[in-house]
Amino acid sequence: MAIMSLAQARENFLAAIETLRSAKVRSALTVLGIVIGVSSVISMAAIIQGLNKFVQDRVESLGSRTYFLTRFPPGTDPSRMPDRIRTRRYLEYNYAEFIRQAAPDVQNVNTVGTRGFFFGDSNLITSGDRSVEKVIVRGAEPEYEEALPLFSIARGRFISSFDQEHARPVVVLGAAISDSLFPNADPLGKTVRINGGTYEVIGVFEHDQGLFLGPGVDIFAIVPLSDFKKHYPEAKELILIFTIPADVNVETAQGEVIQVMRRLRRIPAGKENDFELSSPDFLSNLWNQLTGALVILTTVISSIGLLVGGVGVMNIMLISVTERTQEIGVRKAIGARRADVRLQFLLEAVVLTLVGGIIGILIGATISTLVRTFVPSVPATLSYLWVTIGFAISVGVGLFFGYYPANLAANLDPIDCLRYE
C-alpha cells in the first residue's frame, strides 16, 4: 500500500472537518461523553496533584524528623480495633523524663495532653462578652514548639520552663481564637477564662486553618502541661513527641525509645508493643488511602463518559457511512484507494473526539483554576503531562471506535455504492 502524501492527508482532513460542520448538532451530542470523560480526568488529576502538594507541605510543617508515641495507631478509630489494642494502658506523664535520660539520641522529648471535641469534651474560652466554644485545649511543655514547627509564634512567646515548673496560668492562642476574642485589641497581656479558670495571654500562633486533615493551629489554646494536669486529671489520652537530629541514625534512636517504653510498661520479651511509634508520614498514608478511592471513582466516571462518547462516535460514523454511500462510490470510481477512504473516516472520528478532548481539557483547566482561586492552600495545577494524556485519550478513543466504520466504508464495493439509493 502506497504511503499517503501530505496533500492527500490535508485534503482528507478538510473533508472530515466539512462533514462534521454539516451535522453540528449530531456532532455536539456525540462529543459530550468525551468532554465529560476528559474533563473529569483532567480536573481531578489537577486537584489531587494540588492536594498532594498541600499534604506534603503539611507533613513537612510537622517536622521531617518528628516522631509520636501514642496508645493507638494515628488516624484510626479505636472502637473498631481488636480488644488487645483497645484495652491498652494509657501513657503516663513521667515517661518523657525517663526517655530523656535513657535515650541520648533523641531531642525535644515532651508530653502533650489534649482536651477536644474528638474525645467527647467541650471547651469554652471567654473574654468579656465574647466567647469561643469549638476550641481544643492542649497542655504542652516548652520543647513542644521546637518539636512541631507548625505551631510557630506570630506574636508574644511560647510557654517557658518557668511557666511549666510553676504551673503558671498562661495560654498561647490560635489566631482564630485571638481574632474572635480581641478583634480590635492586642491580646498580649490580656486575660481570658478557659472553662472557668483565668489565664494570661502570652502569645498568638501563626494563622493555620488546617482544612481537611484535622484541626488547624487556629483553634488550639495551649497551656503549660503542669497546669493542664492539675485542672484536667480526667484527660488521660497523652501523646509523647520527640525529634531525632539529622546526624543521628533514625533506627538507632527509635530503638532506644522503644526499649525505654517496653521497660516502663513491663512488656515481656517476645510480646508485641502496646504503644505506637509513628512519624508525620501517617498523614501521607491516610491521604493516599483517601485519594485511592477518589482515583477509582474518577476512573469509573471518566470511563463511562469515554465509553458513551466512543459508542456515540461509532454510531455517528456508521450513519455517516450509510448516508454517504454514493459519495464513497464516486470517490472510488475516480481513483480513491481503500486507504484514502479509511483515513478520511478515521480522521473524522479523531477530529470529533479531539474537539471533545480539547473542550474537556479547557473545562478541567477552568475547574482547577477556580479551586486554586477559592481554596488558595490547595494549589491545583494542570500539568503538561495530563494535557498530553487528555489529547492521547481523545485520539485513542477516536481511533478505536472509528476504525470499524472506517474499515466498513473502505471495503464497500464501488459499483454497489453507485447503485445505492
Side-chain angles (χ1 to χ4, degrees):
M1 183 177 69
I3 299 174
M4 181 170 294
S5 69
L6 185 62
Q8 290 173 318
R10 181 174 178 275
E11 181 185 345
N12 284 331
F13 178 76
L14 293 175
I17 293 292
E18 183 58 35
T19 302
L20 298 178
R21 286 177 59 191
S22 65
K24 295 184 182 69
V25 175
R26 190 168 64 186
S27 299
L29 292 175
T30 302
V31 303
L32 185 59
I34 307 295
V35 171
I36 294 172
V38 172
S39 62
S40 61
V41 168
I42 294 295
S43 57
M44 189 55 68
I47 292 171
I48 289 179
Q49 186 171 327
L51 289 174
N52 286 342
K53 176 69 166 57
F54 170 79
V55 172
Q56 189 58 42
D57 291 344
R58 194 78 176 170
V59 170
E60 290 177 2
S61 69
L62 286 174
S64 59
R65 296 178 74 88
T66 298
Y67 296 84
F68 305 88
L69 281 168
T70 54
R71 189 160 68 110
F72 301 126
T76 57
D77 182 1
S79 64
R80 298 184 178 181
M81 298 177 187
D83 287 341
R84 62 184 176 78
I85 296 179
R86 196 168 58 249
T87 57
R88 286 175 175 178
R89 290 174 294 148
Y90 291 102
L91 304 186
E92 301 290 343
Y93 279 95
N94 63 347
Y95 286 179
E97 186 57 38
F98 283 103
I99 293 174
R100 292 187 191 106
Q101 295 175 3
D105 287 324
V106 301
Q107 295 177 341
N108 302 319
V109 184
N110 61 103
T111 306
V112 174
T114 304
R115 196 174 193 274
F117 53 86
F118 37 79
F119 291 140
D121 301 314
S122 60
N123 297 300
L124 177 66
I125 298 184
T126 61
S127 177
D129 60 349
R130 294 181 175 272
S131 64
V132 182
E133 293 184 4
K134 291 188 176 181
V135 174
I136 299 173
V137 176
R138 172 165 285 180
E141 298 180 85
E143 297 87 356
Y144 181 82
E145 187 188 17
E146 295 179 25
L148 288 179
L150 180 65
F151 287 79
S152 59
I153 296 292
R155 286 176 288 170
R157 65 175 179 85
F158 192 64
I159 294 163
S160 67
S161 299
F162 183 81
D163 298 328
Q164 170 66 13
E165 290 168 5
H166 295 84
R168 293 188 66 222
V170 294
V171 64
V172 184
L173 299 177
I177 302 172
S178 174
D179 292 343
S180 297
L181 298 179
F182 308 102
N184 302 308
D186 185 356
L188 300 182
K190 300 289 194 305
T191 58
V192 296
R193 294 185 67 81
I194 303 178
N195 298 326
T198 302
Y199 289 79
E200 177 191 352
V201 179
I202 59 171
V204 177
F205 291 116
E206 293 280 1
H207 172 68
D208 173 65
Q209 62 184 9
L211 292 179
F212 53 87
L213 281 172
V217 179
D218 276 7
I219 62 171
F220 277 84
I222 296 190
V223 302
L225 182 67
S226 50
D227 177 87
F228 182 89
K229 181 181 179 181
K230 180 172 65 176
H231 287 92
Y232 307 110
E234 76 285 357
K236 297 179 180 180
E237 200 65 71
L238 304 179
I239 300 173
L240 271 70
I241 306 175
F242 63 91
T243 61
I244 299 176
D247 58 346
V248 173
N249 182 272
V250 171
E251 287 74 19
T252 301
Q254 287 182 337
E256 292 175 357
V257 174
I258 290 172
Q259 288 306 312
V260 175
M261 288 294 292
R262 288 181 65 89
R263 287 200 303 271
L264 287 170
R265 294 170 76 79
R266 296 183 174 85
I267 301 174
K271 287 282 188 76
E272 67 176 4
N273 297 333
D274 64 353
F275 57 89
E276 298 293 331
L277 175 59
S278 58
S279 71
D281 289 341
F282 78 85
L283 286 176
S284 300
N285 298 333
L286 180 62
W287 171 244
N288 290 336
Q289 294 174 15
L290 295 174
T291 52
L294 285 175
V295 169
I296 292 173
L297 179 62
T298 305
T299 302
V300 170
I301 294 173
S302 59
S303 297
I304 292 173
L306 293 171
L307 179 63
V308 170
V311 171
V313 168
M314 182 181 289
N315 184 49
I316 193 175
M317 296 312 298
L318 287 172
I319 294 173
S320 181
V321 170
T322 303
E323 290 178 345
R324 295 156 59 193
T325 301
Q326 283 193 337
E327 175 194 325
I328 295 169
V330 171
R331 291 198 68 194
K332 286 192 169 187
I334 61 176
R337 299 165 300 175
R338 288 183 178 181
D340 296 328
V341 177
R342 184 182 295 111
L343 181 60
Q344 180 185 346
F345 281 88
L346 267 180
L347 278 174
E348 289 182 21
V350 170
V351 168
L352 200 61
T353 55
L354 197 55
V355 169
I358 292 171
I359 296 173
I361 290 170
L362 292 175
I363 292 175
T366 302
I367 292 173
S368 66
T369 301
L370 291 173
V371 170
R372 188 169 63 250
T373 301
F374 292 103
V375 191
S377 57
V378 180
T381 306
L382 186 62
S383 67
Y384 292 115
L385 171 64
W386 283 102
V387 170
T388 305
I389 290 175
F391 277 112
I393 290 173
S394 306
V395 173
V397 170
L399 290 173
F400 182 81
F401 287 94
Y403 184 80
Y404 174 73
N407 197 53
L408 187 67
N411 291 325
L412 289 176
D413 184 87
I415 297 176
D416 290 339
C417 289
L418 292 171
R419 289 175 179 171
Y420 182 81
E421 295 182 1

